[in-house]
Structures are given as structure tokens and as C-alpha cells.
């Protein structure tokens, strides 16, 4: 199988947030799509190891912020490269609160408040199908695509994950390195 074929699929980038009691987190995802328009529903696929996934399973609610083209890499690093288990991801930044009491990024293009209707175990990930209970445009302008994100992040030296395209910056990839995006081990990385 030529896994490069998967890089031909186009996506946007989103920050999904959730909380359960006093636990709160959020993660960057590309795997989100609209399913229906009348009684709007969306679907997201999130890794079982993500803290955010655990919180969605507990609370059955999440918020999706649509990232804009000029989003700072710090936002992507905060929500995409570290876990909320060990970090307070919301200590910096500008957040609003949605109907479910969940944070959204005020600098995002749009925000969706969602209530889970169905959860499907798809192996490494859970597919959450959710009803959109509120949707709001926050800022006009271009939204970030997955392809534009990779351009933004282009580096001369590093290692690319052959499964998801994540790039590790640096000459030497640690032997025990785990991809922060799709959680595969160092053997799945190739030098660029
Ligand atoms: C560009 C990019 C795209 C990502 N896409 C997804 C995705 O579609 N699904 C997913 O589960 N994780 C995805 N991730 C990985 C999570 O954002 C990452 O593992 C995050 O640190 C999990 O945080 P948490 O443990 O606090 O939930 C992506 C990360 C980046 C940087």
C-alpha cells in the first residue's frame, strides 16, 4: 500500500475541547466532517490515547474550533504536541465559553458546540457522531488547511512519520520516540 495516497486527502484543522468535572483538555485534529445539514451532525475521529477522548467519553460533549490560516504555531504546539494529562493547555490564550460550558478559541474562524449521539470504536480511534447544538462564526478570513499547515511547518532537517506525516525536527530521532499525533514508534519514521 502506498501510504502517500492518504496525503492526497484534504482536511482543515480544528481544536476539539472537552471537560468532565474539574478535568479539562483539548487537542488538534484534522479528522472532522459534516454529516448532515438538517438537524446538523458532525463526526470526529480521536485517538483512544488522547486525554480529550477520555473526557468526551465521560461527558458526551465537545466543542470544535475551526483554526484560521494565520494561527500561531504555539496554538498547534499547545493543543497538538502535548497532553492535557500533564499540562494546563488553557493557561495562555483567549477563550470563550459555549453552551455546554466548554472553552473555544476566540481567534478561531467558527465554533461548534456538540452533543455526542453515537460512539463507534474504529480500532486506534473512537468515531464520535454528534449533534451540533450551536454554531457561530467568530472571525472572517481564510481557514487553515492540513496542506497549508505542512507548508508552514516545513523544515530542512528532520524525520517524517510515514503513517500521519508528522515531522520531528532534528538530526537524530530518539530510539524510543513515539509520534505525538498517531502514536506509532520510531521505526515508522523516515529521514527527510
Ligand atoms: C496537525 C495535527 C493533526 C492531528 N490530527 C489528529 C486527529 O485527527 N485525531 C487525533 O486523535 N489526534 C490528532 N492529532 C494529535 C493530538 O492533537 C495530540 O495527540 C494531542 O496532544 C492530544 O492531547 P490530549 O491528550 O490532551 O487530548 C493531531 C495533531 C496535529 C499536530
Amino acid at each position: 500500500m502506498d501510504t502517500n495516497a492518504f496525503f492526497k486527502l484534504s482536511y482543515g484543522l480544528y481544536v476539539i475541547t472537552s471537560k468532565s468535572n474539574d478535568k479539562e483538555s483539548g487537542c488538534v485534529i484534522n479528522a472532522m466532517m459534516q454529516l448532515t445539514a438538517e438537524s446538523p451532525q458532525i463526526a470526529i475521529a480521536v485517538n483512544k490515547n488522547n486525554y480529550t477522548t477520555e473526557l468526551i467519553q465521560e461527558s458526551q460533549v465537545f466543542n470544535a474550533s475551526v483554526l484560521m490560516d494565520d494561527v500561531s504555531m504555539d496554538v498547534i504546539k499547545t493543543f497538538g504536541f502535548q497532553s492535557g494529562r500533564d499540562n494546563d493547555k488553557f493557561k495562555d490564550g483567549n477563550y470563550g465559553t459555549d453552551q455546554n460550558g466548554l472553552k473555544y478559541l476566540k481567534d478561531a474562524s467558527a465554533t461548534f458546540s456538540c452533543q455526542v449521539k453515537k460512539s463507534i470504536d474504529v480500532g486506534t480511534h473512537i468515531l464520535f457522531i454528534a449533534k451540533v447544538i450551536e454554531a457561530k462564526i467568530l472571525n472572517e478570513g481564510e481557514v487553515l488547511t492540513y496542506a497549508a499547515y505542512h507548508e508552514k511547518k516545513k523544515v530542512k532537517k528532520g524525520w517524517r512519520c510515514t503513517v500521519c506525516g508528522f515531522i520531528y525536527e532534528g538530526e537524530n530521532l530518539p530510539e524510543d520516540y513515539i509520534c505525538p499525533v498517531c502514536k506509532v514508534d520510531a521505526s515508522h519514521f523516515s529521514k527527510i
Side-chain angles (χ1 to χ4, degrees):
M1 188 186 302
D2 183 355
T3 51
N4 286 320
F6 292 100
F7 298 133
K8 301 295 179 193
L9 297 173
S10 58
Y11 304 95
L13 278 187
Y14 313 93
V15 168
I16 303 297
T17 60
S18 190
K19 74 172 185 181
S20 172
N21 301 315
D22 56 347
K23 300 176 289 180
E24 184 171 32
S25 195
C27 65
V28 172
I29 69 160
N30 56 279
M32 166 164 148
M33 67 181 286
Q34 181 176 359
L35 295 175
T36 55
E38 295 301 322
S39 181
Q41 296 175 95
I42 62 168
I44 61 168
V46 277
N47 196 297
K48 286 178 183 172
N49 295 323
N50 291 7
Y51 189 41
T52 311
T53 308
E54 194 179 310
L55 302 183
I56 298 173
Q57 284 178 310
E58 287 177 16
S59 65
Q60 299 291 299
V61 286
F62 64 87
N63 181 282
S65 294
V66 181
L67 295 182
M68 300 205 57
D69 191 48
D70 61 358
V71 65
S72 141
M73 276 305 294
D74 288 344
V75 170
I76 304 215
K77 280 182 190 154
T78 299
F79 289 98
F81 297 165
Q82 56 182 10
S83 180
R85 282 192 187 87
D86 331 299
N87 302 279
D88 174 8
K89 296 195 177 188
F90 302 98
K91 69 175 187 303
D92 300 314
N94 201 5
Y95 304 101
T97 306
D98 77 2
Q99 276 189 11
N100 292 320
L102 302 182
K103 292 200 173 77
Y104 62 85
L105 280 62
K106 279 192 174 166
D107 296 332
S109 168
T111 168
F112 297 89
S113 306
C114 306
Q115 231 161 38
V116 174
K117 291 289 157 202
K118 206 173 200 176
S119 308
I120 303 170
D121 186 326
V122 287
T124 53
H125 287 56
I126 304 281
L127 182 70
F128 290 114
I129 295 176
K131 180 179 172 184
V132 177
I133 58 165
E134 188 187 21
K136 252 198 297 201
I137 291 186
L138 302 171
N139 295 287
E140 295 294 345
E142 293 291 311
V143 296
L144 183 64
T145 63
Y146 201 30
Y149 160 74
H150 281 296
E151 276 304 308
K152 221 181 178 54
K153 243 212 123 266
K154 231 170 204 170
V155 289
K156 292 200 177 74
K157 284 197 172 153
W159 295 77
R160 177 180 287 113
C161 173
T162 53
V163 176
C164 73
F166 172 79
I167 291 170
Y168 172 88
E169 291 178 46
E171 185 62 35
N172 300 308
L173 182 73
E175 269 176 32
D176 58 353
Y177 191 72
I178 301 290
C179 176
V181 177
C182 69
K183 324 287 181 199
V184 296
D185 64 29
S187 69
H188 291 83
F189 279 71
S190 62
K191 205 166 191 340
I192 51 171

